[in-house]
Amino acid sequence: MSNLIVLGAQWGDEGKGKIVDLFSEKFDAVARYQGGHNAGHTVFIGDRKFVLKLIPSGVLRPGVLAVIGNGVVIDPAALLEEIRGLEAVGVDVRSQLKISDRAHVIFPFHRTIEKISEGRADRVAIGTTSRGIGPCYEDKIARRGIRVADLVDANFAELYCALAEDKQLIAHAFQISEPVNFKEILEQYKQFAEQIRPLTCDTSHLLNRLIRDGKSILFEGAQGTMLDIDFGTYPFVTSSSAAAGGACTGTGVPPTKIDGIVGVSKAYITRVGAGPFPSEDLTDAGEKIRQAGNEYGSVTGRPRRCGWFDVPLLRYTAEVNGFDSLIITKLDVLDELAEIPVCVAYEVDGKRVSQMPASTRRMEGIKPIFESLPGWKTRTKGTPELSKLPVEAQRYLKFLEQETGVEIGSVSNGPERNETLVVSGSRLEKLLG
């Protein structure tokens, strides 16, 4: 079996949770490598809906190990709430879940600082979820953060007090009036530590040992490549490495042990929050996509901005990640359209370009160049084989494959596990064994 990375090829919300859940039955472990509890992975099993925020989607498969890697930042309250919610519906979380002792910990004052930062009059709002994730990563990079290993250590109080004092100084400097009871937080986190301690370990050693023993790992990314801290539409990005490279730094598994990288992309495109979006459709057509695709955040409920498939963007994310195969989700959302626009190139400063500009100014100045393809006006939901899709749908997928230069190895046309087809003879099929 292969060790596989599955990650978003656009701005997140591509349906990775469903794909990871579907594929995880073929793997021994699923490892989440970055992000925090702002990333909602939605999985439908029969009439039940699961929204996973921190715990890898593989936990829904009995016997599959679910690993939260060192690249993730963890709000203990959110994690324990998620565990209780899964246990309430019969998922044996504690026998399957392992948490990296090198993952960093989010505290309530991280949320306070983020809210103030986003709300400042002279600050361009990025559109964060204000869950403290960015400030936690800031503390990590500034080398003053607290990790899970510290949280469960006997000297936690000493480390916490030093960080709390630092935050109090910042609060006073920015005249933050929101009350923060640092002593109460300390006692609360001591209780969290007792509950989390049995689940923590050196997950890098665990994963590498599994690989040495011939076991297979599925690496799960949060958000999408265009929200990567380095390669996304900076500064309108997340605070971590959402691209494929983050799987190695976020779990401690070397790149030589990765056998394949798979991108997940909608048949159209969405993004949440502020920032450039070249192929966004602000007309009624965009609203129709939102309604047909139920494009609202699974964690925040925020309406997603909607637009058309962006070929230059996908070529860029394929190059950054090295996609072996692409999974197209939500094809059925386009079923009622008579024609489907596809962004095939950009016009920047009067010139036609096919590469992704780095600066936000140039990104915002993009004029998308569209090519329209005929729709199929036929129901595709649940179609079991590629050859049984309407001819126009097959042509649409073939067009995307040719324009992006990446094979389409799988198509999802519904939320259920059984509403995803794997293309026979594809590289993806071989990677999945």
Side-chain angles (χ1 to χ4, degrees):
M1 276 295 295
S2 305
N3 297 312
L4 203 63
I5 300 172
V6 174
L7 73 154
Q10 299 170 322
W11 274 292
D13 307 310
E14 301 95 345
K16 298 180 295 297
K18 174 197 170 175
I19 299 302
V20 170
D21 167 68
L22 180 66
F23 291 169
S24 60
E25 67 173 348
K26 297 177 178 291
F27 292 83
D28 297 292
V30 178
R32 166 84 176 273
Y33 62 84
Q34 48 80 220
H37 63 300
N38 61 337
H41 289 177
T42 304
V43 178
F44 288 89
I45 303 174
D47 60 354
R48 292 191 298 173
K49 176 183 177 181
F50 299 87
V51 179
L52 300 159
K53 302 172 188 177
L54 281 167
I55 300 172
S57 307
V59 77
L60 299 176
R61 297 283 187 178
V64 174
L65 195 64
V67 177
I68 297 177
N70 57 275
V72 179
V73 291
I74 298 172
D75 182 326
L79 174 62
L80 291 168
E81 180 183 7
E82 190 171 340
I83 290 173
R84 287 192 294 270
L86 289 169
E87 288 178 335
V89 293
V91 180
D92 189 9
V93 181
R94 293 177 192 272
S95 71
Q96 294 175 246
L97 180 63
K98 294 296 179 185
I99 303 166
S100 172
D101 51 13
R102 289 179 169 85
H104 279 250
V105 180
I106 297 173
F107 292 89
F109 44 71
H110 285 132
R111 295 193 293 273
T112 302
I113 289 172
E114 187 165 26
K115 288 176 185 176
I116 297 299
S117 177
E118 276 284 279
R120 287 208 324 262
D122 59 345
R123 167 77 183 258
V124 176
I126 295 171
T128 75
T129 55
S130 295
R131 291 169 184 253
I133 292 163
C136 183
Y137 276 114
E138 288 178 30
D139 282 346
K140 174 180 178 177
I141 298 303
R143 296 164 292 179
R144 58 173 175 255
I146 291 178
R147 304 194 292 183
V148 171
D150 304 316
L151 176 66
V152 300
D153 189 85
N155 293 326
F156 166 62
E158 182 181 339
L159 292 166
Y160 169 82
C161 289
L163 183 62
E165 184 179 343
D166 186 59
K167 299 307 175 190
Q168 283 180 311
L169 291 172
I170 293 173
H172 289 312
F174 284 93
Q175 298 180 330
I176 297 173
S177 58
E178 185 173 328
V180 178
N181 189 328
F182 289 97
K183 185 176 181 181
E184 184 179 288
I185 293 170
L186 173 60
E187 295 306 314
Q188 183 184 43
Y189 273 65
K190 284 180 179 178
Q191 294 175 23
F192 291 157
E194 292 304 311
Q195 298 177 68
I196 290 173
R197 184 178 286 108
L199 304 174
T200 66
C201 69
D202 182 343
T203 55
S204 172
H205 175 70
L206 170 65
L207 292 170
N208 281 293
R209 189 186 70 219
L210 288 173
I211 293 171
R212 286 193 297 270
D213 291 344
K215 306 296 185 181
S216 57
I217 315 295
L218 184 61
F219 297 88
E220 176 187 37
Q223 288 93 27
T225 305
M226 292 307 296
L227 292 176
D228 182 272
I229 186 66
D230 289 297
F231 298 105
T233 48
Y234 190 89
F236 301 97
V237 293
T238 193
S239 304
S240 56
S241 297
C248 296
T249 57
T251 62
V253 172
T256 52
K257 301 301 182 183
I258 305 298
D259 299 301
I261 302 170
V262 177
V264 183
S265 166
K266 285 175 181 167
Y268 47 99
I269 194 168
T270 64
R271 86 169 291 174
V272 172
F277 187 171
S279 65
E280 184 174 13
D281 193 318
L282 297 172
T283 71
D284 288 343
E287 180 60 30
K288 286 179 181 177
I289 291 176
R290 182 181 295 115
Q291 297 303 321
N294 190 29
E295 294 297 351
Y296 298 89
S298 54
V299 173
T300 63
R302 292 188 295 177
R304 296 172 184 146
R305 299 158 63 189
C306 298
W308 306 106
F309 193 94
D310 188 327
V311 169
L313 182 148
L314 203 289
R315 279 201 297 259
Y316 170 71
T317 60
E319 184 173 66
V320 167
N321 292 296
F323 291 144
D324 294 292
S325 191
L326 192 64
I327 298 169
I328 297 293
T329 63
K330 290 198 165 184
L331 182 70
D332 55 302
V333 172
L334 305 180
D335 282 354
E336 298 303 315
L337 300 179
E339 64 174 14
I340 305 167
V342 176
C343 176
V344 295
Y346 298 151
E347 182 183 317
V348 181
D349 297 334
K351 296 180 181 179
R352 181 177 174 129
V353 300
S354 57
Q355 291 182 308
M356 182 67 62
S359 77
T360 301
R361 182 193 68 79
R362 287 174 64 83
M363 277 286 291
E364 290 175 340
I366 285 174
K367 293 181 180 179
I369 299 172
F370 288 105
E371 185 171 331
S372 287
L373 279 73
W376 41 94
K377 298 285 287 182
T378 305
R379 179 182 169 90
T380 62
K381 183 175 168 60
T383 304
E385 297 175 21
L386 186 68
S387 62
K388 293 185 178 180
L389 288 171
V391 172
E392 292 83 1
Q394 293 183 51
R395 288 175 180 166
Y396 179 74
L397 294 170
K398 193 65 178 177
F399 181 82
L400 300 187
E401 190 175 63
Q402 290 172 342
E403 290 293 308
T404 62
V406 185
E407 73 152 34
I408 293 177
S410 177
V411 179
S412 171
N413 45 20
E416 295 283 351
R417 282 174 170 173
N418 61 357
E419 293 176 323
T420 302
L421 62 90
V422 175
V423 178
S424 178
S426 65
R427 178 162 173 73
L428 177 62
E429 184 182 54
K430 295 172 183 175
L431 286 168
L432 292 172

